[in-house]
Amino acid sequence: MSLQFKVLQNDKNTAARLGMLKTAHGRVETPVFMPVGTQATVKTMTPEEVYGIGGRIILSNTYHLYLRPGEELIKRAGGLHRFMNWHGPILTDSGGFQVFSLGPLRHVGEDGVTFRSHIDGSKHFISPEKAMDIQMALGSDIAMAFDECSPYPCSKDEAEKAVQRTSRWAARCKEFHHHRYQVVFGIVQGGVFRDLREKSASELVELDFPGYGIGGLSVGEPKPLMYEVLDYTVPRLPPDRPRYLMGVGSPDCLLEAVSRGVDMFDCVLPTRIARNGTVFTHTGKLVVRNAAYAGDFNPLDAYCDCYTCRNYTRAYIRHLIKANEVLGIRLTTIHNLHFLAALMGKIRRSIQDGTFETYKREFLELFLQEE
């Protein structure tokens, strides 16, 4: 197996843990946030910049790369690492979430999903085996099993059918997958229904994956409900395997999930809100494009040492964004990704020195002060 995971230290007061993930393309300290490079690029940033702000593993999107430019072209280029010039580990999602987000443009059957491209309307079919084929061609370090993500809200019957299909598809992915260094993670589904989450976790653990994703959360449910689902789902997963909460990237959610034993995260949130002129700060979100900051010559966050905060003011960044200058969204993106990378670094250090619970409380008191 080309992936190793070791828990180095458990927090005494919570389920948080410090770990080391080893892949064919390098080591990653956990808990970790993975910047999202949907189209084989973290939007507006070079790979060197992503590494410079603390990114050590990134996520790319199977669905989007399958449609454009196509996995065979990427394979001919030498795989995704060489194609995008990223030398660290890469995790690819299976495309399941994107396919199921297409709504009326897709049809789900036992064999797989037939859908129409959001780009040109062309017809496509992805099965569990096809999802594995695409990800093997991409050559990521970690591939995700093809799953059915139930929406929120949905009926228990809908969620149960998605769990059953997810388990059957996971078994097919595991049986079909063959790659010299890539490994596959299973994905736990079940909506917000405890018995279904526990059933899904049990069936996937029985398949003995080297790691487990927790899917179907952060899809519209209230945050307290997501935390409740984590409370009874995470303990069902093997303690010696990495646990990956998919699609979560708000600082408060990262801290809450880490305290429940989650090791890995990804989300488009930091780069998406950056493009809309919004940034994370230690005192909450700041919408720098607002008129209130037109004459504000302070950095985005006085407690941040990123390139943006060391060199530019809120007034200048607001001007760039209002003028539709690309540098504006580059600077907000650099800040947001640095902010999360620094947050995860502080979380790891606090677990190591036994102060995680205190750090979490003090951070959230400031970050959530306006909520």
Side-chain angles (χ1 to χ4, degrees):
M1 186 180 296
S2 297
L3 181 140
Q4 298 174 25
F5 177 72
K6 184 177 182 180
V7 177
L8 304 176
Q9 188 171 331
N10 290 289
D11 183 57
K12 294 180 179 179
N13 301 310
T14 71
R17 66 229 199 121
L18 188 69
M20 179 64 72
L21 185 71
K22 298 180 182 179
T23 77
H25 287 87
R27 301 182 180 192
V28 179
E29 295 176 312
T30 63
V32 65
F33 177 81
M34 300 179 285
V36 175
T38 301
Q39 307 269 13
T41 175
V42 176
K43 292 188 187 302
T44 78
M45 296 185 69
T46 67
E48 293 80 9
E49 288 171 331
V50 174
Y51 188 88
I53 57 90
R56 294 297 179 266
I57 175 172
I58 63 171
L59 178 142
S60 280
N61 189 281
T62 295
Y63 165 82
H64 288 284
L65 295 178
Y66 159 73
L67 290 178
R68 184 175 54 190
E71 73 277 13
E72 288 305 319
L73 184 146
I74 294 174
K75 184 177 181 179
R76 293 204 314 271
L80 192 53
H81 292 86
R82 292 188 65 182
F83 186 60
M84 66 181 296
N85 193 36
W86 173 258
H87 305 296
I90 298 175
L91 182 149
T92 45
D93 61 13
S94 67
F97 178 79
Q98 285 71 33
V99 167
F100 290 105
S101 298
L102 292 173
L105 294 176
R106 52 95 172 138
H107 171 73
V108 183
E110 186 57 34
D111 287 341
V113 183
T114 302
F115 64 95
R116 292 195 176 277
S117 164
H118 71 286
I119 299 171
D120 59 11
S122 56
K123 192 174 181 180
H124 300 268
F125 175 77
I126 292 183
S127 64
E129 293 79 10
K130 178 67 173 177
M132 293 296 97
D133 259 336
I134 297 169
Q135 292 181 86
M136 286 189 286
L138 295 176
S140 56
D141 298 83
I142 301 171
M144 301 303 295
F146 196 57
D147 64 323
E148 180 173 356
C149 178
S150 51
Y152 178 85
C154 73
S155 69
K156 187 170 184 180
D157 182 59
E158 287 179 281
E160 185 168 19
K161 288 178 180 176
V163 164
Q164 292 169 348
R165 183 170 282 133
T166 291
S167 293
R168 292 193 296 269
W169 285 0
R172 286 168 57 182
C173 287
K174 193 169 193 300
E175 181 179 2
F176 182 82
H177 184 266
H178 52 91
H179 192 283
R180 62 188 178 89
Y181 65 76
Q182 185 183 72
V183 298
V184 181
F185 284 12
I187 303 177
V188 177
Q189 290 290 347
V192 295
F193 304 99
R194 179 167 185 163
D195 57 335
L196 295 183
R197 283 283 174 181
E198 292 176 343
K199 170 183 168 65
S200 180
S202 176
E203 291 175 353
L204 289 171
V205 169
E206 185 69 23
L207 291 171
D208 194 30
F209 285 99
Y212 296 90
I214 303 170
L217 290 177
S218 193
V219 291
E221 78 284 358
K223 288 179 181 180
L225 186 53
M226 177 175 74
Y227 303 150
E228 180 184 331
V229 172
L230 292 176
D231 281 335
Y232 55 69
T233 301
V234 174
R236 296 279 175 164
L237 300 176
D240 63 341
R241 310 291 169 91
R243 303 153 175 169
Y244 162 33
L245 179 56
M246 307 177 73
V248 170
S250 178
D252 52 324
C253 294
L254 295 177
L255 280 156
E256 293 289 356
V258 165
S259 72
R260 290 162 169 82
V262 176
D263 307 297
M264 303 169 66
F265 304 87
D266 84 281
C267 194
V268 298
L269 180 67
T271 50
R272 177 173 290 168
I273 65 172
R275 296 193 300 278
N276 293 325
T278 301
V279 293
F280 298 128
T281 76
H282 284 80
T283 55
K285 289 180 183 176
L286 183 147
V287 186
V288 71
R289 68 179 300 128
N290 285 353
Y293 304 107
D296 190 334
F297 302 111
N298 292 299
L300 294 176
D301 186 344
Y303 300 100
C304 180
D305 66 350
C306 76
Y307 169 79
T308 301
C309 289
R310 292 197 316 269
N311 293 283
Y312 301 100
T313 66
R314 296 173 177 181
Y316 178 63
I317 294 168
R318 178 185 184 271
H319 155 67
L320 293 176
I321 290 172
K322 297 297 286 186
N324 292 319
E325 288 289 345
V326 173
L327 180 59
I329 61 174
R330 274 180 43 75
L331 294 176
T332 52
T333 300
I334 287 169
H335 169 79
N336 278 351
L337 290 180
H338 179 279
F339 187 93
L340 292 190
L343 172 64
M344 301 312 289
K346 291 170 186 174
I347 287 173
R348 292 192 296 269
R349 287 191 291 276
S350 70
I351 296 172
Q352 189 172 30
D353 61 26
T355 60
F356 171 72
E357 197 170 35
T358 300
Y359 175 72
K360 174 191 169 187
R361 183 181 66 253
E362 291 177 349
F363 180 93
L364 292 179
E365 282 176 357
L366 272 177
F367 187 79
L368 300 176
Q369 61 183 336
E370 295 182 2
E371 292 191 4

